[in-house]
Amino acid sequence: MYSPEFNIGSLILYVTIAIICCCCLKMSIRGIYCSRSEILRTDLGYIYTCIILILFAICRKVSANIGGADASNYESIFLDALNSQSKYDSQEVLFGVFNRIIRSFTSNPILYRSICYSIIAFSYIIFIKCFSEKWMSVIPYLVIVLFYLKSFNTMRSSLAVAIFTIALVLLYKNKKIIAFSLIISTVFIHRMSVLYIPFIIFYFFGYKFIINMGLKRMIFFLILYSWITYIIATSIQTFVLGAMLLDGTDSYYLQKNMNGSIFDSSILLLPLIALLIFWFITNRKLNVDNRTEFLTVCIAYDIIIAPAAILLGMWRFNEFMFLERLTVWGVLISLYRIRFERKSRILVTLLFVCIFLGWLIYRIEREWDPCKIMPYIFIWD
């Protein structure tokens, strides 16, 4: 019988996977060819990353409080998908349909897990392939493993994030109908996605407004609309609790943040604003293209929605656009690094590697227990 406990071997494994995946991503982003095949040579690093992440997820042992706090519950829901009634028959029905479809042809939890985590890993790859620059730093992508580890616990919300991420790539490629359909569908996978449905409206009416305004106007705009979303969230919070529309965990988190101050969200809001300011200033040194503008709009929306998300107890909102933030950090690091002489750039690179690895380790140490992601036990043990 295993029990959750901090395990240095698991931590080393997680950091090792982060480094290997980062190197594989660099291979494809930089166009380092390692195959004679015309089809494979530029995508081989992406393929390696996807395979490593999928194997990492499916080779872990899943039981009570091992392999993710809710992992065994999701596998039980899958196994009973054809035989029992659940909340997914009336709420978040797409997740219920998804489980029933897979359960109709297999009862193997490993295969079920393979399908789920293939979707999640694939969303990472297509986003990075679409938005990364050949010259940018890949160091921030070390942190991808943190969010992937969290999906061991919150697989359903991570699936919603994956579909949302794929939708953003399609939206960038101007496939609006499919993209908007996918964004709307995410709310039927996890209700937290309701916070990101308004992104459709924001994209239509705020895109040109955001990218054409000056820095001071942008800061004023973001603070104003963050305050507005806070006021709206306060009203919704009171109504939902009064009407008893939620129960269980959802109701607990909502009540926990009752009467919360907008300043309570500043811990997450200020770093986002600082990131956007640095990004906005740096844009002058870039050949501003559609990718730069799209990432700017995504981060702006993330800032606006943050106070409402925190007040409503939806702490996982920061997982929806984490790839956008990491990509921006990659560009900023590269632009900072070129200020130094060639010999000094190695030290600057090592500094940022230490910063992001340190942040990864710190976050794992903070979240391993609530997420129950330690120890990592292989299924054959």
Side-chain angles (χ1 to χ4, degrees):
M1 181 67 181
Y2 297 101
S3 60
E5 61 181 16
F6 182 80
N7 181 269
I8 191 66
S10 298
L11 180 62
I12 293 172
L13 174 66
Y14 299 159
V15 171
T16 302
I17 289 175
I19 294 171
I20 292 173
C21 287
C22 200
C23 292
C24 290
L25 289 173
K26 180 178 179 179
M27 184 171 68
S28 283
I29 291 171
R30 297 286 174 83
I32 302 172
Y33 302 149
C34 57
S35 172
R36 293 183 179 181
S37 168
E38 190 69 29
I39 297 174
L40 287 179
R41 65 178 189 173
T42 56
D43 288 338
L44 208 55
Y46 294 133
I47 294 170
Y48 287 157
T49 303
C50 206
I51 291 173
I52 290 168
L53 290 176
I54 294 168
L55 290 176
F56 179 44
I58 66 176
C59 289
R60 79 189 198 277
K61 184 180 182 65
V62 171
S63 61
N65 290 327
I66 291 294
D70 290 336
S72 60
N73 181 47
Y74 283 128
E75 293 199 352
S76 296
I77 291 169
F78 160 69
L79 292 172
D80 295 336
L82 299 178
N83 305 318
S84 63
Q85 297 291 319
S86 73
K87 72 172 187 176
Y88 302 117
D89 294 326
S90 57
Q91 304 172 20
E92 296 143 328
V93 292
L94 272 182
F95 184 70
V97 171
F98 175 75
N99 277 282
R100 284 194 292 274
I101 290 174
I102 300 175
R103 183 65 182 84
S104 66
F105 64 82
T106 184
S107 60
N108 189 333
I110 303 298
L111 181 57
Y112 170 67
R113 212 185 302 170
S114 301
I115 295 170
C116 294
Y117 285 97
S118 293
I119 296 171
I120 294 171
F122 176 73
S123 71
Y124 294 176
I125 297 305
I126 66 164
F127 182 91
I128 294 170
K129 186 175 180 179
C130 180
F131 287 98
S132 60
E133 301 278 1
K134 189 173 182 178
W135 48 268
M136 65 174 275
S137 171
V138 298
I139 294 171
Y141 288 144
L142 289 166
V143 185
I144 284 176
V145 166
L146 169 68
F147 292 94
Y148 195 71
L149 279 169
K150 291 171 73 171
S151 74
F152 289 3
N153 172 35
T154 58
M155 188 187 73
R156 183 164 58 92
S157 65
S158 295
L159 280 170
V161 171
I163 300 302
F164 181 81
T165 301
I166 294 169
L168 289 184
V169 173
L170 292 172
L171 184 58
Y172 170 74
K173 294 182 177 180
N174 211 32
K175 298 179 180 179
K176 295 179 181 178
I177 295 177
I178 301 175
F180 292 153
S181 299
L182 287 177
I183 290 174
I184 293 170
S185 74
T186 59
V187 79
F188 300 105
I189 299 173
H190 198 289
R191 71 181 69 182
M192 181 181 63
S193 305
V194 71
L195 288 173
Y196 285 83
I197 302 301
F199 181 77
I200 298 172
I201 301 171
F202 185 77
Y203 179 83
F204 266 119
F205 297 102
Y207 192 96
K208 290 184 178 179
F209 183 65
I210 286 289
I211 63 178
N212 291 325
M213 65 171 56
L215 180 58
K216 292 181 181 179
R217 288 180 61 198
M218 179 179 286
I219 294 173
F220 174 77
F221 169 82
L222 294 176
I223 292 174
L224 173 64
Y225 277 85
S226 296
W227 180 266
I228 291 173
T229 61
Y230 165 77
I231 298 299
I232 294 172
T234 303
S235 303
I236 294 174
Q237 185 186 49
T238 304
F239 170 75
V240 170
L241 287 175
M244 293 184 291
L245 297 178
L246 298 177
D247 54 15
T249 305
D250 293 327
S251 179
Y252 167 76
Y253 283 121
L254 200 60
Q255 291 182 49
K256 186 178 179 181
N257 293 279
M258 192 67 179
N259 300 318
S261 166
I262 190 172
F263 298 106
D264 294 338
S265 65
S266 61
I267 295 175
L268 289 176
L269 195 59
L270 291 179
L272 282 174
I273 292 176
L275 175 61
L276 189 61
I277 290 172
F278 287 133
W279 177 241
F280 190 89
I281 294 172
T282 306
N283 282 349
R284 301 172 186 172
K285 302 176 183 178
L286 295 171
N287 293 321
V288 179
D289 57 12
N290 291 336
R291 280 184 290 190
T292 303
E293 293 174 349
F294 193 89
L295 291 172
T296 302
V297 172
C298 288
I299 296 174
Y301 184 82
D302 223 17
I303 292 170
I304 290 172
I305 209 67
I310 294 172
L311 186 68
L312 295 173
M314 298 180 177
W315 295 96
R316 282 171 287 180
F317 84 96
N318 68 331
E319 297 175 22
F320 271 80
M321 292 189 177
F322 79 93
L323 284 169
E324 289 83 340
R325 297 193 298 273
L326 294 181
T327 301
V328 168
W329 276 119
V331 174
L332 291 177
I333 288 172
S334 290
L335 293 174
Y336 177 76
R337 191 169 50 188
I338 61 176
R339 297 180 179 182
F340 295 85
E341 295 180 0
R342 186 175 296 274
K343 292 181 180 179
S344 300
R345 289 177 193 172
I346 297 176
L347 294 176
V348 174
T349 300
L350 289 175
L351 174 63
F352 280 111
V353 168
C354 291
I355 289 172
F356 279 92
L357 274 181
W359 179 246
L360 172 64
I361 293 168
Y362 168 72
R363 290 292 300 274
I364 291 174
E365 287 182 334
R366 282 193 60 190
E367 302 192 37
W368 73 266
D369 189 26
C371 292
K372 301 296 185 289
I373 53 175
M374 281 193 185
Y376 184 94
I377 302 169
F378 290 97
I379 51 175
W380 51 79
D381 287 345

